[in-house]
Amino acid sequence: MPTLSVKNLSVSSMGEGLLKSVSFSFSGDAFCICGKKYAGKTPLCLALAGFGNPEGEVVLNGEDITRISPEARNVGVLFGKAKLFRGSVGKNIAYGLTLRKEEKANEKALATANALGLKTIFHKKAKKFKGVQAQKIAFARLIARHPTAIFADFPVREDSEEDLAFLKDCLAVCKARGILFVLFTESAVQANLFSTLGVLEKGELTFFGNREALLANPPTLLSATFGAENVNILYGEKKEGCLTVGDAQLFPTEGVGDVRVLLYEDFALLSQTGIPCRVDYVEKVGENYRYYLDFSLKDEEIGGKVTRFTLLSAVMPNEGATTVYLTVNPKKVFVF
């Protein structure tokens, strides 16, 4: 089973810390590093691959690779926008094998193409392919040379079915071949394909561990948003010993001042009193009902509008109703 240990890894540029003493240990097939723009995801990705002259220690599968050059680490980096070389798809896949002067490089490349469903385009020009298809070719190029680990630095995407299907394929292939796969992303949807998450905030690792542990005890408001696909942030106020959001009084709390309430989709109850929100539509799910709600709230720290989330409830909707009221369970809500 692949292992990766990172100790006090730091990266600086122009005197500013891009990574600040990042440390974690992992044993398994894959994990995900989450964070918003400029959180330090790309510097960490490149540092693990051997670029950027970082300080600290990196041990991969029991071998200290801290001072080993990128080309000697036998790892691969997969970017969100694939960079393909001139020539055929086959020549792209065989590129690393050719550099190593391996025998039967073309035959090995063809075998890799077959395994990844790229046989029909093996002889076509690589430059004509874009998007996910180009990423598949770049991924095949990495897999063909049997790396120890692949670090995938993906930008913000629309999380289309094609994107997620490709990511699932990467995970399956790497697991079958004993290759460590690490994803760096801003997407909570992509992050939810992983059981182990790390969260970067302004160059610091604020969480690393099991996703369920993150949901149960989020260290920061931002980190919690990566633990589930559907997270809702409500603005509230501590007043007269109670927490109120809008006209709704939720539960007793200490202190006074502005607060934000974090709600997960399964951690809320529907009731006749509480916070009003618009119902987009409702569908039957077994014995329950799934509500699609719209709050149209904004949180600049999270990075935009938190407009929709889904909620499963045993409460039957009123026929024709367009508004419901949300009341939170004080034992399953986090106030920041």
Side-chain angles (χ1 to χ4, degrees), residues 12-292:
S12 299
S13 176
M14 304 293 288
E16 297 182 2
L18 302 178
L19 285 179
K20 304 171 185 177
S21 296
V22 169
S23 298
F24 62 87
S25 294
F26 176 76
S27 177
D29 302 308
F31 66 91
C32 178
I33 297 293
C34 315
K36 293 299 180 181
K37 196 173 183 179
Y38 305 123
K41 300 186 301 300
T42 297
L44 177 56
C45 175
L46 294 178
L48 294 177
F51 300 95
N53 194 29
E55 298 178 357
E57 180 180 280
V58 179
V59 178
L60 179 61
N61 291 349
E63 179 185 3
D64 188 342
I65 61 172
T66 308
R67 304 297 170 228
I68 296 179
S69 63
E71 60 272 15
R73 290 194 181 198
N74 193 33
V75 301
V77 180
L78 184 66
F79 293 104
K81 186 176 181 180
K83 296 181 179 179
L84 302 180
F85 308 131
R86 290 184 177 180
S88 68
V89 170
K91 287 186 177 180
N92 269 264
I93 297 175
Y95 180 77
L97 301 173
T98 303
L99 284 182
R100 293 179 177 181
K101 298 181 180 180
E102 292 193 19
E103 296 182 1
K104 300 180 179 180
N106 192 63
E107 292 182 18
K108 293 178 180 178
L110 182 58
T112 301
N114 288 341
L116 297 178
L118 299 174
K119 180 180 179 180
T120 58
I121 63 171
F122 190 78
H123 297 291
K124 295 184 178 181
K125 292 183 178 180
K127 286 286 189 179
K128 68 178 291 185
F129 297 100
K130 307 293 181 184
V132 174
Q133 192 75 334
Q135 280 188 308
K136 289 181 181 180
I137 298 169
F139 178 68
R141 186 171 60 201
L142 294 177
I143 289 295
R145 58 184 181 86
H146 305 290
T148 304
I150 291 179
F151 304 113
D153 187 16
F154 287 4
V156 178
R157 307 186 67 90
E158 295 182 358
D159 297 318
S160 68
E161 292 184 6
E162 188 180 20
D163 289 322
L164 294 177
F166 169 62
L167 185 52
K168 291 176 182 178
D169 287 344
C170 290
L171 288 168
V173 170
C174 288
K175 181 177 181 179
R177 302 190 179 202
I179 300 168
L180 175 64
F181 185 85
V182 183
L183 175 70
F184 298 80
T185 185
E186 295 183 34
S187 168
V189 177
Q190 292 179 358
N192 270 256
L193 297 177
F194 297 78
S195 59
T196 300
L197 302 178
V199 181
L200 278 173
E201 299 183 49
K202 298 179 180 179
E204 297 182 358
L205 194 68
T206 57
F207 177 87
F208 189 88
N210 187 274
R211 188 172 70 246
E212 282 69 27
L214 175 60
L215 287 171
N217 189 26
T220 65
L221 176 65
L222 180 61
S223 66
T225 64
F226 290 107
E229 292 183 23
N230 298 302
V231 179
N232 191 50
I233 293 88
L234 306 180
Y235 285 96
E237 182 181 5
K238 295 179 182 178
K239 184 170 59 177
E240 297 178 354
C242 290
L243 175 64
T244 61
V245 178
D247 296 328
Q249 188 178 92
L250 301 183
F251 54 87
T253 185
E254 297 179 358
V256 295
D258 294 335
V259 297
R260 280 169 293 187
V261 182
L262 177 70
L263 300 179
Y264 297 123
E265 62 173 324
D266 296 328
F267 293 173
L269 306 171
L270 289 174
S271 76
Q272 296 302 311
T273 60
I275 307 161
C277 52
R278 186 172 65 84
V279 181
D280 280 355
Y281 60 97
V282 181
E283 65 182 6
K284 193 77 161 45
V285 182
E287 297 301 318
N288 295 316
Y289 300 88
R290 177 173 287 130
Y291 287 74
Y292 291 82

